[in-house]
Amino acid sequence: MASATAAAGAGASPVRLRPFKRVAVVGGTHGNETTGVYALRRFQKHPELLARDGIDVEYCLANPKAVREVRRFVDDDLNRQYSMARLRDDSLESYESVRAKLIEQRFGPKDSDRPHADFLVDMHTTTSRMGITMIFESQGVDPAALYVAKEVRRMLAGRTSAPVFILFADLERDGIPHTPSIARSGVAIEVGPVAQGLLRSDACEWMEQAALAVMDAIARLNTGEATASEAEAVPVFQNSRVKVPCPAGEDGSPLAVFHERLQDGDYRPLRKGDPIFRGLDGEVIEYDGRLGDTVFPVFVNEAAYYLPESGLGFALCHHATLPLPPIVTAEDGAARLSLPVPPADDAEAVAAAIEASDPWEAAKAAAATA
Amino acid sequence: MAIQRVRPFRRAAVVFATHGNELAGPFVAMQLEEQDRFAEVAPSMECSCVEANPEAHEQRVRFVDVDLNRQFSAEVLASPASPEEPREIALAKALDKALGPKSSASPAQDLVIDLHTTTSNMGMTLVVQDMDSVSIGACAAVKEELGADGIPTRILWERTTREESPYLFSLGRHGVLVEVGPIATGIVEAGVVADMREATERLLEFFQRLNDHGEAARAAEAEGREAPPPVWGGGPVEVYEDLGIKVAPPQPLEDDVAMPMFHAELQDQDWVPLRVGQGLFELPCGEVITYKGEHGDDVVPIFVNEAGYQNASSGVGFGLARKTVVDTLPVVVEFERS
């Protein structure tokens, strides 16, 4: 999806942020998302890949024990430990709650305006067909993260066999439980579909392409020129965090499968009455319209979301167009900014555009001719 | 003409969660039970569903200590029990008592169907072992039926005796392993579940037909009529013989990453003959390991990028198979004469 330029009300006057001089690159937050571990080790062995003028890159293997055991986590999902409440709770004893505190000490503190890391990139994979999804979560719109995400999409267009999506969530910052929230700003790169515990060369390529593009984008943010970026209106999917759990037994065993029409249907319109699951008997369970008549599903058939610890079910999104002002970086700039979140776009209009052109087909075709 | 005469199939076990993170098997077993399918497809058989590795299933891991589906050779089953023995070995011995014993020609289960999934692009694969006309004939017949139903199917033949076989499906008098892929671990998927269920029902139906034919033949004999032709008339069956060779990149690979990077030219190319020069693995330093032709030009890769194949217990690397033809005898069920 191409970004519209300079839409009305995009806020043409630049915002000022402090430069992003220290970047944390994290892999293995989930121990069975092997692509992220592989990418991390590759970047560490070949530092020239992520090196950019004026930027210090630090690397972190977040969950070494889970990585060794090729499991998502040992005791608790590490990517649910970074809320302020959990970070400041000294009574927590699980392996991951201890790891989270160590990582926050290294790259945070989360509640400081001068954390050690200016920007944090957390590398993940999913069994869902989410292509290259740039995830950012902030209280209001974080223009730095939005800039990085939209730049990755722009830079990779036509150069990668997976489509790039932006997945945004507007969340109260203290409550965000995910790794990027401990730095001033950050994104997660979520690549899929790929099974856990193995390496697919295409998924590894997507991860690497996205990480390199993130570094290019951060470097551009740091040039400090007012014309570093023009005002833009950036189309994104906004994660409502409303989840639709798959029917399951008391022991967590699935009692239904994702309906074949929803399977692999991330980012495709889901309308009230559309099938979402098939029960044991083959009976169809429909989307009940809980977030609106037309929504966009993500994390469809993600293995982790069969587990209560990670949050059950697939998630529903609206579509939104976020105004991105030009960004100037200077030492007297803000640590981070929180720009207003506009109302959701008309879902049916967006749905029609998506149905007219399959982003996966477009990406494959463009990559094939590149 | 030689005929394989077998006793009726009275008891069949559908086994699932042999690997605890392969969730399609448990789902299909639940469906078969809840919808009372056994009474429908195999009315003269006593069918049960058996959860092989409950602890691994609960933890959603392939295994807890060692790969359960490598612990069923006669040698391992006969090893002395000890408190330090890996959980899956103790479990294998218990399963042998419950479904076998393997050492008996009349084990508790006449038929064992073991349900598995793989992350490899292998489609529907029916795995059989030994020179067993019964299971090979069953798979040949079911392969035809599934093919006609739009589920292309291959038969993978393990050249191992029942006694030597390390696989759970060797516990019964006859056995088949149903392997469906590609699917990630830890999820169920509509197509995989439907195909796995279809294959399981067709297999049970085949054995029911063997029983039915045995009844019909006995009745015909009593009435002095000619028996109807056997359900499986024997003959050559096209299979892929598992060569028992694992192809892996040089170890160790990379800190923290036990799985090799399968080359893009090999990824998803299960069953497609290897070509000299084809990329197999990419090493972290960028070096590409290619196929040199050392196994011939008629070998196919199997279990390409199977997530479970990254430890010594399960075996590391992808497998090799070669298309061949196995000769089978006609199979007839014979009831004891009264």
Side-chain angles (χ1 to χ4, degrees):
Chain A
M1 245 178 260
S3 311
T5 53
S13 55
V15 297
R16 278 174 100 76
L17 288 166
R18 279 210 323 271
F20 297 85
K21 298 276 180 66
R22 261 199 300 260
V23 175
V25 175
V26 181
T29 294
H30 294 133
N32 56 3
E33 293 174 19
T34 312
T35 307
V37 178
Y38 181 85
L40 180 79
R41 290 315 193 207
R42 201 168 126 69
F43 295 144
Q44 283 178 294
K45 287 218 163 96
H46 301 276
E48 69 278 8
L49 287 170
L50 297 189
R52 301 289 182 277
D53 278 345
I55 298 179
D56 283 328
V57 182
E58 295 185 26
Y59 300 97
C60 174
L61 183 73
N63 196 339
K65 194 153 187 248
V67 168
R68 262 199 308 282
E69 298 178 15
V70 199
R71 309 169 68 131
R72 182 175 173 85
F73 54 81
V74 175
D75 297 325
D76 286 328
D77 191 331
L78 177 56
N79 208 27
R80 303 287 179 275
Q81 304 305 315
Y82 294 100
S83 65
M84 283 306 300
R86 290 190 78 78
L87 288 171
R88 299 293 173 261
D89 183 348
D90 288 331
S91 73
L92 300 177
E93 290 177 338
S94 69
Y95 175 77
E96 279 84 7
S97 55
V98 171
R99 280 299 298 166
K101 292 180 171 77
L102 287 171
I103 292 168
E104 195 231 353
Q105 272 161 28
R106 188 167 164 207
F107 295 127
K110 175 162 169 162
D111 51 357
S112 162
D113 273 351
R114 294 195 172 268
H116 180 81
D118 297 303
F119 201 93
L120 191 148
V121 185
D122 193 17
M123 298 186 290
H124 285 263
T125 60
T126 174
T127 56
S128 305
R129 193 174 186 239
M130 288 170 69
I132 302 169
T133 289
M134 302 302 300
I135 300 178
F136 78 98
E137 299 171 319
S138 49
Q139 195 161 329
V141 177
D142 169 355
L146 178 58
Y147 176 82
V148 168
K150 74 93 181 170
E151 279 289 281
V152 170
R153 183 164 62 193
R154 185 187 64 78
M155 284 187 275
L156 294 189
R159 290 178 40 223
T160 181
S161 51
V164 180
F165 301 98
I166 301 176
L167 185 58
F168 160 67
D170 174 18
L171 298 170
E172 192 242 333
R173 188 161 182 278
D174 277 2
I176 300 175
H178 305 134
T179 327
S181 67
I182 64 179
R184 276 175 52 208
S185 186
V187 296
I189 303 172
E190 184 87 58
V191 157
V194 58
Q196 321 91 308
L198 51 77
L199 297 173
R200 283 189 63 102
S201 58
D202 51 9
C204 287
E205 188 180 68
W206 300 339
M207 184 73 83
E208 186 164 314
Q209 287 177 307
L212 265 59
V214 165
M215 294 308 300
D216 287 340
I218 297 173
R220 270 204 288 287
L221 267 181
N222 286 342
T223 59
E225 295 161 14
T227 52
S229 60
E230 295 176 348
E232 265 185 63
V234 182
V236 307
F237 290 92
Q238 183 167 352
N239 193 342
S240 70
R241 316 278 294 167
V242 170
K243 290 189 111 159
V244 183
C246 185
E250 269 170 21
D251 62 350
S253 294
L255 295 179
V257 290
F258 277 85
H259 194 278
E260 53 272 20
R261 273 181 47 194
L262 178 58
Q263 177 69 42
D264 295 337
D266 304 79
Y267 299 114
R268 295 193 63 77
L270 177 68
R271 296 179 175 87
K272 183 172 170 185
D274 281 350
I276 53 176
F277 300 118
R278 262 193 201 285
L280 279 176
D281 282 355
E283 73 274 19
V284 174
I285 298 166
E286 295 172 349
Y287 168 54
D288 58 10
R290 64 183 60 181
L291 191 73
D293 284 352
T294 303
V295 293
F296 304 92
V298 289
F299 291 111
V300 173
N301 215 354
E302 158 55 43
Y305 298 163
Y306 285 54
L307 309 170
E309 296 92 330
S310 300
L312 293 171
F314 70 99
L316 301 179
C317 300
H318 297 302
H319 191 275
T321 303
L322 304 183
L324 175 65
I327 299 173
V328 172
T329 52
E331 284 306 328
D332 64 353
R336 69 179 66 81
L337 290 168
S338 168
L339 302 182
V341 180
D345 294 328
D346 172 65
E348 265 307 315
V350 173
I354 292 170
E355 280 161 338
S357 160
D358 176 8
W360 280 91
E361 290 303 311
K364 284 192 177 88
T369 57
Chain B
M1 185 219 268
I3 292 181
Q4 179 147 1
R5 300 174 198 281
V6 293
R7 289 186 313 281
F9 293 88
R10 300 205 194 286
R11 273 185 304 274
V14 173
V15 181
F16 62 94
T18 301
H19 294 134
N21 53 4
E22 294 171 19
L23 301 190
F27 192 90
V28 167
M30 236 189 311
Q31 282 184 312
L32 294 173
E33 279 188 326
E34 303 240 331
Q35 292 165 45
D36 214 20
R37 293 299 296 156
F38 295 129
E40 185 73 31
V41 304
S44 75
M45 293 166 68
E46 201 185 293
C47 298
S48 56
C49 292
V50 177
E51 182 185 21
N53 197 340
E55 208 181 333
H57 185 200
E58 204 211 347
Q59 295 180 41
R60 299 285 191 267
V61 291
R62 184 177 174 87
F63 56 81
V64 179
D65 292 333
V66 294
D67 192 329
L68 176 60
N69 207 28
R70 303 284 183 278
Q71 311 307 329
F72 292 93
S73 67
E75 192 185 336
V76 172
L77 292 175
S79 62
S82 92
E84 289 97 41
E85 96 187 327
R87 261 165 286 209
E88 275 85 7
I89 291 187
L91 188 51
K93 292 171 181 168
L95 285 162
D96 182 49
K97 282 196 176 64
L99 305 180
K102 188 210 269 275
S103 54
S104 164
S106 305
Q109 297 296 328
D110 299 307
L111 172 65
V112 168
I113 300 176
D114 191 15
L115 302 180
H116 286 259
T117 58
T118 175
T119 57
S120 305
N121 189 27
M122 287 171 67
M124 168 68 69
T125 304
L126 303 174
V127 187
V128 289
Q129 65 201 356
D130 212 349
M131 290 308 306
D132 178 26
S133 293
V134 176
S135 52
I136 297 174
C139 290
V142 169
K143 174 184 161 178
E144 284 295 309
E145 294 170 38
L146 293 177
D149 260 350
I151 306 172
T153 301
R154 293 178 179 83
I155 300 171
L156 181 64
W157 178 53
E158 301 289 325
R159 192 196 272 271
T160 171
T161 63
R162 183 171 166 239
E163 188 196 347
E164 293 163 343
S165 168
Y167 305 121
L168 186 152
F169 77 98
S170 65
L171 290 182
R173 181 157 54 94
H174 305 276
V176 177
L177 186 156
V178 175
E179 182 88 62
V180 184
I183 182 174
T185 55
I187 61 174
V188 287
E189 189 270 321
V192 167
V193 157
D195 290 355
M196 182 185 276
R197 177 189 163 156
E198 185 79 13
T200 306
E201 291 194 6
R202 296 286 87 74
L203 282 167
L204 289 169
E205 271 178 356
F206 177 87
F207 284 89
Q208 179 61 49
R209 287 207 303 279
L210 283 179
N211 282 348
D212 292 343
H213 175 273
E215 298 268 5
R218 177 167 63 176
E221 193 192 20
E223 290 157 22
R225 288 182 287 108
E226 203 182 307
V231 170
W232 178 252
V237 174
E238 183 185 271
V239 303
Y240 286 86
E241 180 183 351
D242 187 340
L243 300 179
I245 299 169
K246 280 274 166 77
V247 182
Q251 303 287 330
L253 282 170
E254 177 69 85
D255 316 332
D256 315 300
V257 179
M259 280 301 279
M261 170 77 75
F262 281 76
H263 196 274
E265 286 171 7
L266 181 59
Q267 180 66 50
D268 300 333
Q269 297 303 303
D270 304 73
W271 308 113
V272 178
L274 291 177
R275 305 175 307 276
V276 170
Q278 179 176 357
L280 301 179
F281 301 106
E282 192 174 317
L283 297 184
C285 56
E287 183 192 338
V288 172
I289 297 181
T290 62
Y291 182 56
K292 308 279 190 302
E294 57 268 47
H295 302 289
D297 60 1
D298 61 346
V299 290
V300 300
I302 54 173
F303 292 109
V304 172
N305 218 351
E306 159 51 50
Y309 290 179
Q310 56 182 289
N311 61 84
S313 178
S314 305
V316 178
F318 67 93
L320 293 176
R322 182 183 285 121
K323 212 187 264 193
T324 188
V325 170
V326 172
D327 218 26
T328 63
L329 299 174
V331 174
V332 164
V333 158
E334 273 194 345
F335 291 81
E336 269 75 72
R337 288 159 203 282
S338 47

